[in-house]
Amino acid sequence: MSMGSTGEGLGRRDLIKRSAALGLITVPTMSFLSACASGGGDGSTKGPDKAPVTKENPFGVAKGGKLDVVVFKGGFGDDYAKAWEAAFDKKWGTTSEHLGTQEITGKLQTRFNGGNPPDVVDNSGAQKIKLDVLAKAGQLADLAPVLDAPSLDDPSKKVRDTLIAGTVEQGMQGGKFVALNYVYTVFGFWYSGKLFKDKGWTAPKTWDEFLDVCKKAKDAGLGGLAHQGKYPYYINVVIMDLIAKKGGLEAMKAIDNLEPNAFEGSAAALAAVEAVYEVVEKELLMPGTNGLTHTESQTAWNQYKAAFIPSGSWLENEQLKQTPPDFDMQFLPVPLLADSKLPFEAIRAGAGEPFIVPEKAANKAGGLEFVRSMLSREWSTLFAQQANSLTVVKDGVDPNVKLRPGTQSAVTALKAAGDNTFNFLYPDWYSAMDTEIQDASNELMAKRIQPKEWIKRAQAAVDKAAKDPSAKNNHRS
């Protein structure tokens, strides 16, 4: 996640990415935190001279300057960014400097500390810099001017009017829009259409049916559920989606809004954790999955060693080399518990892969214009062609672009879901709380704690986050 998508260093994007997918485990060092808190550097980095602001050049980008772009090179690769940079340089006469890496914190920590960050950063993957940390330290440029600028496709429209619902909300920190989550990602289970056809299995719609397929897989000598054991971000998606579908949007909002009964006292939360724990108790996990990284577990699944795996829709790109040609990757919304408030078709879907413009960027105007360009049909289509994924631009991809089976199945699921989509915001708003809940899920899957202890730990993480004075700036209605 971004989660955007995750890549070999971790495992992205929540998301996953990164995205879809989504920083999973790394925490910036104290030296980084303290440097951010003090602002780092003297801010004296000289940028290019600004050009006059016009409707066509709303940020005053200077011709012939430099543009420094750093992107997370995970499931989406970085060819799309190279194509963007070439288009930008051609239009503006700039010279782009490109870095594709999975070590976002490692490569950029000293640059943020020193006050000379890049102009645009795709801040994703396991080693992404925590957005809430950067925001609190005043290190992120306000991207609201991009939203209010004219769309490159239709100058009579503002950029904000061309985006899928929820995109802006997803990028807010403390009431300020500071991150463009660019990739439209869906989250849930994945399975092989070929395996299911060969075995005569039907894709389940209820949790009991899901357990039944897992049992059939076990009887056939396979695992039922594989999960990315070393990165509990993924199994946490399943738990949280079950909560949202069982308890409805109110249950989701209670968690994002740090309610005192978000977990303790929530029948939906307990039912969700007990449901996932049943997979563990009945030994329906793929053997060894608790000790595997995301790529190890996903590759075993590609080798038909398990029926299901949870992930965001970056999975297909991430596993291209490991996926057999006839695997027929298919998406499955998280199946329903009894008496669920949301329908089976409801899915977690939203913007992932956060792009930021640092406040102290040398070419801040160029960074803002780059982000505006990302939200054009031309660049959105370039991304779909290079990365096999959808963006947050409404109707932003040329319909002639052919998508692979897994991504196409995700598109079909999105159409079936209609307005029944949801997305948690707490992972971006409260990174420490997110990590604490993931840690509890790791203990649960290893049978070191029981469901009620998970609930207790998750509520403690919520209560701790609620004590932070800055939490009052984050609220969803």
Side-chain angles (χ1 to χ4, degrees):
M1 151 114 68
S2 331
M3 234 298 238
S5 85
T6 40
E8 201 53 48
L10 159 101
R12 148 176 355 277
R13 201 160 331 105
D14 270 90
L15 74 254
I16 307 193
K17 208 258 240 162
R18 96 161 302 22
S19 310
L22 310 162
L24 314 187
I25 52 171
T26 355
V27 178
T29 62
M30 282 312 295
S31 62
F32 175 54
L33 294 177
S34 55
C36 278
S38 64
D42 59 6
S44 61
T45 306
K46 189 179 186 308
D49 295 331
K50 286 194 70 172
V53 171
T54 63
K55 190 171 183 180
E56 291 73 28
N57 188 4
F59 310 115
V61 179
K63 295 273 185 178
K66 290 185 178 180
L67 191 77
D68 189 345
V69 182
V70 176
V71 299
F72 172 69
K73 190 174 180 179
F76 302 125
D78 63 346
D79 286 345
Y80 70 88
K82 293 175 182 176
W84 287 350
E85 290 154 19
F88 194 85
D89 288 347
K90 184 177 180 181
K91 179 175 181 178
W92 295 101
T94 47
T95 302
S96 288
E97 185 175 324
H98 171 92
L99 173 64
T101 180
Q102 295 188 5
E103 302 171 19
I104 298 297
T105 293
K107 298 291 187 185
L108 298 187
Q109 176 174 320
T110 54
R111 295 192 60 185
F112 272 100
N113 288 355
N116 63 325
D119 303 313
V120 181
V121 181
D122 168 20
N123 182 38
S124 191
Q127 299 181 51
K128 74 176 184 180
I129 303 174
K130 304 296 187 184
L131 273 178
D132 52 345
V133 173
L134 288 174
K136 286 178 184 177
Q139 294 275 17
L140 300 179
D142 186 354
L143 299 183
V146 175
L147 299 177
D148 293 324
S151 162
L152 285 163
D153 298 312
D154 181 358
S156 69
K157 287 184 178 178
K158 291 183 177 182
V159 167
R160 69 167 70 245
D161 299 325
T162 68
L163 306 180
I164 288 169
T167 303
V168 176
E169 186 179 39
Q170 192 73 24
M172 300 293 283
Q173 288 282 345
K176 191 170 159 185
F177 181 62
V178 294
L180 170 67
N181 288 276
Y182 187 68
V183 184
Y184 199 59
T185 304
V186 304
F187 299 84
F189 286 122
W190 299 81
Y191 66 95
S192 161
K194 178 185 187 301
L195 177 65
F196 273 53
K197 185 177 179 181
D198 289 351
K199 298 292 187 184
W201 299 338
T202 302
K205 292 189 175 183
T206 69
W207 195 255
D208 284 344
E209 290 171 355
F210 173 78
L211 292 175
D212 188 53
V213 175
C214 287
K215 289 170 187 169
K216 288 177 178 175
K218 184 180 180 181
D219 291 343
L222 313 178
L225 175 66
H227 78 108
Q228 300 83 337
K230 287 193 174 180
Y231 302 107
Y233 159 81
Y234 295 87
I235 198 65
N236 216 48
V237 167
V238 180
I239 294 172
M240 302 305 290
D241 282 16
L242 283 169
I243 293 173
K245 294 179 85 163
K246 169 85 172 172
L249 299 183
E250 298 79 12
M252 175 192 71
K253 290 175 183 177
I255 295 168
D256 283 343
N257 288 335
L258 308 179
E259 299 290 343
N261 61 347
F263 291 106
E264 287 188 331
S266 167
L270 184 59
V273 184
E274 287 178 338
V276 171
Y277 193 63
E278 193 171 356
V279 177
V280 179
E281 276 195 312
K282 293 184 174 175
E283 298 182 345
L284 300 176
L285 289 178
M286 181 184 77
T289 192
N290 280 341
L292 300 181
T293 66
H294 67 301
T295 47
E296 290 168 345
S297 190
Q298 291 161 190
T299 298
W301 170 74
N302 279 141
Q303 295 166 347
Y304 304 107
K305 292 178 181 176
F308 301 102
I309 198 162
S311 187
S313 48
W314 60 81
L315 177 68
E316 188 170 36
N317 298 316
E318 196 165 69
Q319 293 298 115
L320 279 182
K321 293 178 182 176
Q322 291 78 24
T323 305
D326 58 351
F327 189 80
D328 188 23
M329 195 177 293
Q330 294 293 311
F331 174 77
L332 178 73
V334 172
L336 289 184
L337 297 170
D339 303 318
S340 287
K341 290 188 177 180
L342 297 184
F344 163 72
E345 291 79 10
I347 50 177
R348 185 195 299 218
E353 202 74 8
F355 283 76
I356 57 175
V357 175
E359 178 62 31
K360 294 186 178 181
N363 189 359
K364 187 174 168 184
L368 295 174
E369 181 61 31
F370 192 89
V371 172
R372 182 171 81 121
S373 304
M374 288 169 57
L375 299 171
S376 66
R377 280 197 206 99
E378 179 192 351
W379 284 29
S380 183
T381 297
L382 278 172
F383 185 82
Q385 289 171 324
Q386 299 285 349
N388 182 46
S389 294
L390 302 179
T391 76
V392 294
V393 181
K394 289 179 195 170
D395 304 317
V397 177
D398 187 312
N400 295 319
V401 173
K402 288 192 174 180
L403 301 170
R404 297 189 182 95
T407 300
Q408 187 56 57
S409 73
V411 172
T412 302
L414 268 174
K415 288 179 180 175
D419 292 332
N420 283 304
T421 61
F422 59 91
N423 202 14
F424 287 90
L425 297 181
Y426 77 87
D428 286 332
W429 284 353
Y430 311 110
S431 58
M433 166 182 153
D434 183 32
T435 300
E436 286 159 11
I437 296 175
Q438 287 181 36
D439 289 345
S441 298
N442 188 35
E443 296 292 287
L444 183 85
M445 299 309 288
K447 290 182 80 170
R448 288 191 289 265
I449 65 171
Q450 302 285 311
K452 286 182 179 176
E453 175 63 20
W454 187 97
I455 294 287
K456 183 179 177 184
R457 293 189 186 193
Q459 187 64 53
V462 167
D463 297 343
K464 182 179 173 184
K467 290 178 181 175
D468 187 332
S470 66
K472 67 180 184 297
N473 296 318
N474 297 323
H475 185 80
R476 61 189 306 173
S477 55

